[in-house]
């Protein structure tokens, strides 16, 4: 655990208490079983806003608390522990980051204040296929009159179905595969020509496929400069990756804690199964991975807060490492629970399903190994 | 060898004459020929094919003819298998009775029991389920507690089983019960009874994959005729272990499959990930891991072939059986993980719009594969068995 | 274990007996400590020839026994067990294969009979750098008068220092990297202009770097057609890979057996260390890998004997799998022996050193994974 | 904070004035400043630098001044470390006395012992070695048998140690001995004695890497004054364990290093494997594994940093120490394997023509790295410790 400031400690403790009281895993299970397409509970989301979590990275000038990414990461780690489904990451971290990095003063004033107040859900729409590949953006935006017209599709947009505001990566020049020629647009969820299809995924969160058919936006909807979307997008994604990694760390840590408890209580052959050395060593290795992951996640968040040059590399590291650790932790959770872990009535399956989705979003370990190697020049 | 060729010719003509043309499409899950009293046949040819094969005893090719089996030698059975594969025949009967119970009945049951149960298994009349695991006795199977009391003219059974495959579909159960509480392994007996006996209740368990192939099964004052005990009282553990060997063999040989449907994993990956200018999978990291997996799969297939060859050469049931189960589980799980990774988020669909049935099938198969290293003996128990029985390592003193 | 013929069983039993009696690990250690540059014991090599092992794959017409590659693999597995250092693989399998595949009747008569008789040492000189890459051959052969003139270098040629006959891959057309344009030549070890530098490697076997300076050979020295060397070379390499994999299987199996014995006899905390479950599981996994490897090695050798189309893929599989298993077995040998395994006085280090060299020769696991993927079309 | 800045300025000027310019090249192995009576200094400035640092107590910066230490606070020591790093100073003294023995003497020794031994450690006058492992007691250290008998006015020691680092170079030994054979942990004592005492013999052990950093050490009727017992009789195990913690910390913090000499592993790989048209390492399979390794290395470095931060924040000796040792060993071994793989056969040279000293160094470093998971507590013991002490898992009953 990083050395926390008093504010950060309070934020984490509040999150821990709230999650236990209001959003245990059972709450997520209930949401899932309800079949509600939104993928989150609006009442809980409202409470998050009331507690100020939606404004943790927002400047005080726009109604936020400016506690930084490490602070928000602490909250996400706690919500990740109980699989709390909410638009917090998408809205208060990802979309808010895009506005912070690329937004004009007017855009910040309009949108960041609403985000901080918990008044809207926001989303980032970047990928168009099943694999993360921001530079492959093909959705086009063409200058038309006093604005732009967007045509194309986006896939698996987290909170894309519920979002009031969508930050859309569009191609205004070049070919899919080019980093150059991208522009970010702020599009409202109810825009004419925008169709949203909610997806039912294994992790039961809110995703949507979006179709843009002649969606027209004003010139003021451009985030940053036309054609200058790539650096904003990349930096936004890195922050989203670090935040998601924090959530995944919490999910993995809880999977481990529950499993460790089971190792201590489940008996076979007249012994607690945790007395078997083969399981002890596996548990110790998993604990080692968790500790290593924690260091990466905290370092990435701190680098963002400090504006360090290596924030991108650390975000890739954190996302990859959190993915691998959560992968292992979720598999071990099922295996060490044996048959009961295979039942839908047990929570292990929920962790497993969430694990693979979180691994894939914003690039899996394979993607980030490749990126890390490129950043290191090999 | 001449005889074998004669048998091949005969089998081939018979199969060509008797295999129903309507079964030439791939079998879907709800067309699986499990038989039994509750069976519903979507296509009557499924039942026709079962009956025709059963009439020759070829649903249990190597069992003696006197119990309804085919009376074939191992070599003839192999030829029959080849010929069935040649015409891509669907299985005529899928049956725990054939795969697991029958072989131990042949070895341990009395004559009356063999005459009673085996022919019905061959004909697919009775569908069997397996009452082994209990909530408190998973890997430690011999810790089972289901109580079986001698009531003079019958046994009285009380307790609970779990992970009973298709108990809700089955007609009869072969069941391990505790007949002596003062000993562990020597207090277990092996009994058979009808699932319609009063006091038997099976509740399906929903798995993380969404399917419910297993049940919790409850026994409340279930009366079982004494003639339905197999082998001697308190001697059921030997039968149980023997049956587990057949089960593991079956799980291993059958493979776990996934829903590949003919597509190799690299074809799936190419479709979703794309290729580079040299025709290689565009994600080189994934490509290296896919290649490693395909090589493991080949090594495994070659090992299964080798074990079979050794078996046929008369070397008996190989200790490698435990290896095969462990390796098969790992391999199928690795494959499923790679498939889901290759398909990306499109491979994490659960239902509804946006996903093809095949994609959803892969998601479900991936989740289901997690059970491979648990059911039929966990991988941990497999490794213990290899360490102790094959490698001769001892327990802690 | 494959189902063996009577001849194969006899061959294996003879090898097993001979190795125990004449060539235990101690013999290799003595050879190493002697610092003899040849990398093998000529007396033992002579005995191998006398037992007919040099003619196992050679047709009866040329003085061999024609027992096939599976037969020779059985011998190599046994010699691999005790790290027996000899030119058997290089001479009686690799070079003999090149002659069998590409040689004219005259070449076979001249050389295969000498190989079968154990009269010569032969070698294949293919790689020019530290990594296996046959298509990168740069050594040139230029037509000159009634023959060819060779210029260039070869690196890490197994038995290259002792070889009387060297099969040399040379470029007669095209560029390094092209499979086309290669030609194989039969060059005598004492040829004018050929310089050989013996190398002292960690595995203490016989390797040499070769330098060709205007080495002239006659037209009859061409093996196969000029420019048609690639298919001969590739097939030869596949057979060498399968043979080396058989040797590596033996080395790994022995490393495992010795380690398993140690697990049963070494006590710590009042227990044989083999009673500790974590070590039991690792031993069981290693045993599983050995069994899988055996299947691959035997299948590759059988495929060569049967002329199957998949012999190449199976050779890559066998070489990669044997490499990975030997890698693991040699590491576990050191680790499970603890401190004593780190001492030069113990054999573990000898197995470890041999393991890495054998892994690298004719392509490591990485090379063969790539090749396997290409053969499968992805 | 102002004080700390003052200290920084003072340290900086002192270092600039006192660091010998001749030590600005990288240190070679035979220049390592181990001190002791047998030391031979290739370059007299090595000794000069040691003496100058010792004069300020900065060879043991946080030890009390009364025992020759620097008397610095943790924060000041950190500043000193930063300043030393800033000028890329070589270590002034490498010493098991400073790293391992000193801290436990400060905690467990009596005043006379502290006064006697600590200042000589600070000044590098006495080089110490560690008499812990025995041939029959490796991971099970407490199983040690070296006998120590009370002979009234002295102790008499008979037995054998193994893996005694640099025993042939050392002046004194800190040694675990058995003073009660009826108990295991409660029969162990911690004694110090001079290696020139009659009856002491150290024989170097040659490792698979060719080097001989360890000895077998034999004790035959070695007489040791009673004043050289540290702590109470039969209470040496607590001291032993404490010292092991310092040892593991030291092994971890120092890292294992390899002979990188500033070249990152990817630079080595690029040199031997080459790059493709996009500048990526040509072997994409190896590239993926190198990237994974570099990320692990970074994760490890960040964890060491985090543990240090937590220590400085006053959270005490972290249980993560055991994790660090395990992870560091694995990481260094993985690195060495990757380096040798990247260099190919050129990375398997032993000596002589055809290999550069650097290539041979990597081969030797790879072999030496295999000991990382054995020395200072095997990885298996580390994992046991994590499972039991950190995770609270119990032993088999």
């Amino acid at each position: 655990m990083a050395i926390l400031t008093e504010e950060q400690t309070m934020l984490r403790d509040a999150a821990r208490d709230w999650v236990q009281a209001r959003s245990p895993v059972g709450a997520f299970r209930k949401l899932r079983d309800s079949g509600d397409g939104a993928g989150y509970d609006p009442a809980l989301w409202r409470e998050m806003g009331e507690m100020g979590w939606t404004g943790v990275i927002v400047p005080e000038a726009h109604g936020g608390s400016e506690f930084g990414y490490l602070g928000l990461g602490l909250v996400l780690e706690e919500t990740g522990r109980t699989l709390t489904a909410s638009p917090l990451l998408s809205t208060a971290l990802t979309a808010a980051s895009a506005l912070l990095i690329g937004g004009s003063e007017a855009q910040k004033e309009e949108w960041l204040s609403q985000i901080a107040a918990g008044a809207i859900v926001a989303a980032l729409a970047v990928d168009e296929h099943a694999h993360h590949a921001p530079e492959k953006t093909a959705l086009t935006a063409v200058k038309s009159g006093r604005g732009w017209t967007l045509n194309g599709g986006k896939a698996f947009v987290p909170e894309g179905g519920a979002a009031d505001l969508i930050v859309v990566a569009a191609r205004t020049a070049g070919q899919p595969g080019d980093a150059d020629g991208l522009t970010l647009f702020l599009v409202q969820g109810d825009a004419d020509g925008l169709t949203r299809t909610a997806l039912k995924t294994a992790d039961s969160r809110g995703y949507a496929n979006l179709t843009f058919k002649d969606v027209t936006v004003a010139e003021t909807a451009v985030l940053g400069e036309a054609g200058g979307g790539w650096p904003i997008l990349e930096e936004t994604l890195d922050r989203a990756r670090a935040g998601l990694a924090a959530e995944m760390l919490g999910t993995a840590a809880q999977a481990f804690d529950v499993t460790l408890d089971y190792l201590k209580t489940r008996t076979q052959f007249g012994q607690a199964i945790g007395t078997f050395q083969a399981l002890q060593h596996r548990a110790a290795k998993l604990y080692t991975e968790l500790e290593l992951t924690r260091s990466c996640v905290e370092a990435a968040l701190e680098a963002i807060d400090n504006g360090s040059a290596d924030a991108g590399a650390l975000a890739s590291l954190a996302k990859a490492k959190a993915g691998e650790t959560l992968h292992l932790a979720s598999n071990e959770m099922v295996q060490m629970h044996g048959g009961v872990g295979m039942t839908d009535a047990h929570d292990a399956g929920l962790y497993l399903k969430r694990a693979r989705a979180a691994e894939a979003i914003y690039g899996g370990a394979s993607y980030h190994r490749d990126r890390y190697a490129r950043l290191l020049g090999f | 060898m001449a005889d074998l060729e004669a048998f091949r010719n005969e089998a081939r003509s018979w199969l060509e004459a008797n295999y129903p043309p309507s079964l030439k499409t791939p079998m879907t899950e709800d067309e699986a020929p499990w038989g039994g009293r509750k069976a519903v046949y979507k296509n009557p040819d499924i039942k026709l094919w079962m009956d025709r094969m059963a009439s020759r005893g070829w649903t249990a090719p190597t069992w003696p003819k006197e119990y309804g089996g085919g009376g074939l030698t191992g070599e003839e059975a192999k030829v029959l298998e080849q010929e069935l594969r040649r015409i891509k025949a669907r299985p005529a009967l899928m049956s725990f009775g054939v795969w697991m119970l029958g072989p131990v009945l042949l070895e341990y049951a009395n004559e009356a029991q063999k005459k009673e149960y085996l022919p019905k298994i061959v004909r697919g009349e009775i569908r069997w389920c397996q009452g082994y695991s209990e909530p408190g006795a998973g890997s430690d199977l011999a810790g089972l507690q289901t109580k079986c009391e001698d009531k003079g003219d019958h046994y009285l059974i009380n307790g609970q089983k779990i992970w009973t495959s298709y108990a809700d579909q089955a007609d009869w159960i072969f069941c391990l019960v505790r007949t002596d509480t003062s000993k562990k392994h020597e207090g277990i007996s092996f009994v058979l009874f009808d699932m319609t006996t009063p006091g038997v209740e099976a509740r399906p368990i929903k798995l993380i994959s969404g399917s419910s192939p297993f049940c919790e099964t409850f026994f409340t004052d279930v009366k079982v005729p004494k003639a339905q005990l197999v082998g001697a009282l308190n001697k059921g553990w030997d039968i149980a272990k023997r049956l587990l060997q057949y089960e593991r063999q079956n799980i291993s040989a059958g493979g776990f499959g996934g829903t590949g449907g003919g597509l190799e994993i690299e074809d799936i990956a190419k479709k979703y990930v794309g290729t580079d200018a040299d025709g290689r999978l565009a994600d080189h990291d994934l490509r290296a891991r896919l290649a490693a997996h395909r090589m493991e799969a080949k090594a495994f297939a070659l090992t299964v072939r080798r074990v079979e060859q050794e078996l046929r050469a008369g070397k008996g049931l190989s200790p490698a059986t435990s290896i095969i189960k462990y390796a098969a589980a790992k391999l199928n799980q690795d494959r499923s993980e790679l498939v889901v990774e290759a398909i990306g988020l499109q491979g994490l669909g659960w239902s509804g719009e946006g996903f093809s049935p095949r994609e959803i099938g892969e998601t479900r198969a991936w989740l289901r594969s997690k059970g491979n290293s648990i059911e039929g003996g966990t991988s941990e128990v497999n490794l213990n068995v290899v360490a102790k029985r094959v490698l001769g390592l001892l327990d802690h003193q």
Side-chain angles (χ1 to χ4, degrees), chain A, chain B:
Chain A
M1 180 61 63
I3 311 305
L4 303 180
T5 63
E6 199 172 328
E7 286 88 354
Q8 288 166 339
T9 307
M10 282 172 60
L11 191 57
R12 187 203 53 199
D13 292 349
R16 196 170 281 176
D17 293 344
W18 180 83
V19 159
Q20 286 222 312
R22 301 286 299 143
S23 182
V25 184
F28 170 68
R29 179 182 286 278
K30 204 181 280 177
L31 178 74
R32 180 197 74 160
D33 293 343
S34 76
D36 182 349
Y40 69 94
D41 178 339
L44 294 182
W45 171 234
R46 205 155 40 236
E47 291 181 29
M48 288 181 165
E50 285 159 11
M51 287 181 295
W53 296 354
T54 48
V56 175
I57 64 164
V58 175
E60 292 182 2
H62 302 298
S65 61
E66 246 179 300
F67 281 170
Y69 285 83
L70 183 60
L72 188 49
L74 294 168
V75 174
L76 286 164
E77 184 182 335
E78 296 302 325
T79 60
R81 280 193 167 264
T82 58
L83 304 176
T84 301
S86 84
L88 185 65
L89 180 74
S90 159
T91 306
L93 196 150
T94 310
S97 292
L99 287 160
L100 274 173
I101 297 163
S104 65
E105 274 313 306
Q107 287 168 334
K108 288 186 196 174
E109 182 48 40
E110 178 175 7
W111 295 112
L112 279 180
S113 55
Q114 289 194 70
I115 287 176
I120 59 164
V121 168
L124 172 71
V126 50
D127 290 312
E128 303 180 6
H129 298 285
H131 290 279
H132 182 57
E135 75 286 358
K136 289 199 183 149
T137 295
L139 180 147
T140 56
V142 176
K143 199 92 179 85
S144 65
R146 277 169 307 178
W148 297 78
T149 302
L150 279 59
N151 277 289
K154 292 287 174 188
F156 297 99
V157 178
E159 319 304 339
D164 303 295
L165 172 70
I166 307 170
V167 181
V168 180
R171 184 158 293 286
T172 47
Q175 296 298 320
D178 299 347
D180 286 344
L182 293 188
T183 305
L184 299 181
F185 291 92
L186 300 175
V187 179
Q188 304 209 28
D190 58 2
D192 284 341
L194 171 58
T195 316
R196 310 197 268 187
T197 309
L199 298 172
K200 286 196 181 301
T201 56
D203 69 337
S204 307
R205 297 280 178 112
Y207 303 90
N209 285 346
L210 312 185
T211 308
F212 293 75
K213 196 169 174 210
D214 293 329
V215 173
T216 309
V217 294
E219 185 62 40
T220 55
V222 174
L223 191 76
E225 302 282 313
W230 179 253
I232 306 171
L233 179 61
E234 204 182 21
E235 202 176 335
T236 300
L237 283 169
D238 278 329
R239 297 181 186 194
R241 288 161 182 154
L244 179 54
E247 183 189 322
M248 292 162 78
L249 170 63
T251 306
Q254 183 68 15
F256 177 71
D257 288 351
V258 169
T259 305
L260 185 61
D261 191 51
Y262 191 73
L263 290 180
K264 291 177 183 175
T265 51
R266 166 75 171 174
T267 61
Q268 290 275 277
F269 306 103
Q271 304 276 350
I273 59 173
T275 65
F276 288 95
Q277 197 194 29
L279 295 186
Q280 290 185 342
H281 279 199
R282 275 157 59 185
K285 286 179 186 174
L286 182 48
Y287 176 74
T288 304
E289 293 305 317
L290 281 164
E291 288 294 311
L292 292 169
T293 302
R294 174 172 299 287
S295 311
C296 299
V297 168
E298 292 179 356
L301 293 167
E302 284 172 340
I304 295 167
D305 282 331
N306 298 336
S308 303
D310 60 352
L314 287 171
S316 272
L317 174 63
K319 182 63 176 49
K321 191 81 191 145
E324 290 175 328
T325 298
L326 179 53
H327 189 100
L328 179 64
S330 57
N331 276 345
E332 287 285 45
M333 187 182 196
V334 174
Q335 181 66 22
M336 291 190 181
H337 277 83
V340 72
M342 281 297 293
T343 65
D344 186 68
H346 193 272
D347 290 341
L350 304 179
Y351 281 82
L352 185 65
K353 291 165 185 173
R354 176 58 187 160
R356 291 309 174 281
E359 283 175 63
I361 295 165
Y362 305 141
S366 182
Y367 178 92
H368 288 290
R369 275 194 293 271
D370 179 65
R371 183 168 185 251
Y372 199 84
R374 270 189 288 118
L375 291 171
L376 259 60
F378 72 95
Chain B
M1 290 302 280
D3 284 356
L4 216 53
E5 279 317 292
F7 175 74
R8 184 186 300 279
N9 290 333
E10 194 232 310
R12 187 174 294 186
S13 354
W14 187 87
L15 290 175
E16 276 168 9
N18 287 281
Y19 189 69
S22 76
L23 304 186
K24 289 193 172 163
T25 54
M27 183 174 82
T28 59
E29 210 181 311
D30 58 353
E31 290 177 331
W34 288 104
R37 298 189 294 231
K38 299 180 192 167
V40 176
Y41 296 97
K42 251 178 87 167
N43 171 352
D45 281 352
I46 294 169
K47 181 74 166 68
L48 179 68
W49 172 229
M50 187 187 300
D51 289 344
R52 283 180 177 169
M53 284 287 279
S55 72
R56 300 212 51 164
W58 285 0
T59 47
T62 59
W63 293 7
K65 284 196 170 178
E66 52 187 312
Y67 307 124
L72 302 189
T73 65
E75 284 180 332
E76 287 169 338
K78 186 83 195 166
V79 166
L80 176 61
E81 208 181 301
Q82 288 164 353
E83 291 303 314
L84 284 163
R85 225 172 4 231
R86 205 182 64 87
I87 62 164
K88 298 199 176 76
R90 295 187 187 181
L93 174 63
M94 292 165 64
S95 160
F96 297 152
V98 170
W99 298 331
M100 295 191 259
L101 178 62
V104 301
L105 288 184
L106 282 168
E107 193 170 345
Y108 293 94
N110 61 36
E111 191 56 29
Q113 290 170 332
K114 290 185 199 173
K115 283 258 188 295
E116 169 64 24
Y117 300 113
L118 293 173
K120 291 179 186 166
I121 291 174
V122 172
R123 294 195 297 265
E125 282 175 26
I126 296 296
R127 182 171 180 180
W128 288 85
C129 65
Q130 177 188 34
Y132 267 44
S133 292
E134 298 183 4
S139 287
D140 181 15
L141 179 58
L144 61 92
Q145 298 299 334
T146 291
K147 196 164 67 172
C148 175
E149 295 166 281
D150 187 337
K151 291 292 180 184
D153 63 336
H154 66 272
Y155 294 119
L156 191 70
I157 297 178
N158 279 285
Q160 183 190 346
K161 294 288 172 183
I162 196 166
W163 309 120
T164 330
S165 300
Y166 304 113
D168 53 338
Q169 315 283 333
D171 304 310
W172 276 62
I173 187 168
F174 48 93
C175 193
L176 294 180
V177 293
R178 179 151 301 286
T179 40
D180 184 343
T181 53
S182 70
K183 290 169 184 156
K184 191 170 179 181
H185 296 86
E186 292 77 24
I188 292 170
S189 298
F190 189 97
V191 296
L192 315 174
F193 53 92
D194 194 312
M195 291 291 282
T196 59
T197 315
V200 177
E201 188 197 351
R203 291 184 205 151
I205 301 167
K206 190 170 167 194
L207 294 189
I208 58 177
S209 57
S211 66
S212 300
F214 303 108
C215 292
E216 289 183 288
T217 311
F218 299 88
F219 308 129
T220 314
D221 289 334
V222 176
K223 286 188 191 175
V224 172
K226 287 183 132 180
Q228 289 167 209
L229 172 75
V230 178
L233 195 72
N234 294 326
K235 294 289 178 210
W237 184 244
D238 289 341
I239 308 177
K241 278 192 302 183
R242 194 81 177 134
L243 192 144
L244 279 180
Q245 284 186 315
Y246 289 109
E247 178 181 4
R248 280 173 198 159
Q249 223 178 351
N250 174 51
I251 290 179
S252 313
F256 295 106
T259 60
L263 266 196
E264 293 293 358
I265 190 167
E266 60 267 25
D267 299 322
I268 299 173
K270 278 192 205 168
K271 177 176 163 192
Y272 287 93
V273 175
T275 52
D276 67 13
D278 294 329
R280 292 175 301 192
L281 200 62
D283 181 338
H284 293 156
D285 186 319
L286 179 62
R287 176 176 182 264
R289 290 179 289 122
L290 278 192
H293 168 73
R294 290 289 267 125
M295 293 169 93
E296 283 301 302
K298 184 73 183 176
F300 176 74
L302 292 170
T303 303
V304 170
R305 194 184 74 176
R306 181 164 68 85
V307 166
E308 283 173 1
Q309 283 170 349
E310 290 173 22
L311 263 175
R312 271 204 302 286
K315 300 190 180 180
L317 201 60
S318 168
T321 312
S322 280
I323 289 170
I324 300 260
K325 162 72 169 68
Y326 165 74
K330 182 165 185 323
L331 197 65
N332 192 50
Q333 290 175 337
D334 288 349
R335 180 193 176 279
S336 291
E337 289 284 6
L338 285 167
V339 167
V340 167
E341 179 181 346
I343 304 186
L345 282 164
Q346 203 67 37
L348 289 168
W350 188 253
S351 62
E353 257 185 290
F355 304 100
S356 71
R358 183 190 172 97
E359 287 163 351
I360 290 172
E362 291 290 0
T363 309
R364 306 290 184 116
W366 159 65
L367 288 161
R368 182 65 187 81
S369 77
K370 295 298 168 200
N372 298 159
S373 51
I374 297 170
E375 58 208 300
T378 65
S379 288
E380 288 79 7
V381 166
N382 287 160
L383 292 172
N384 287 344
V385 168
V386 173
K388 282 163 197 166
R389 300 219 196 122
V390 183
L391 304 182
L393 295 169
L394 301 175
D395 268 327
H396 246 29
Q397 297 306 313

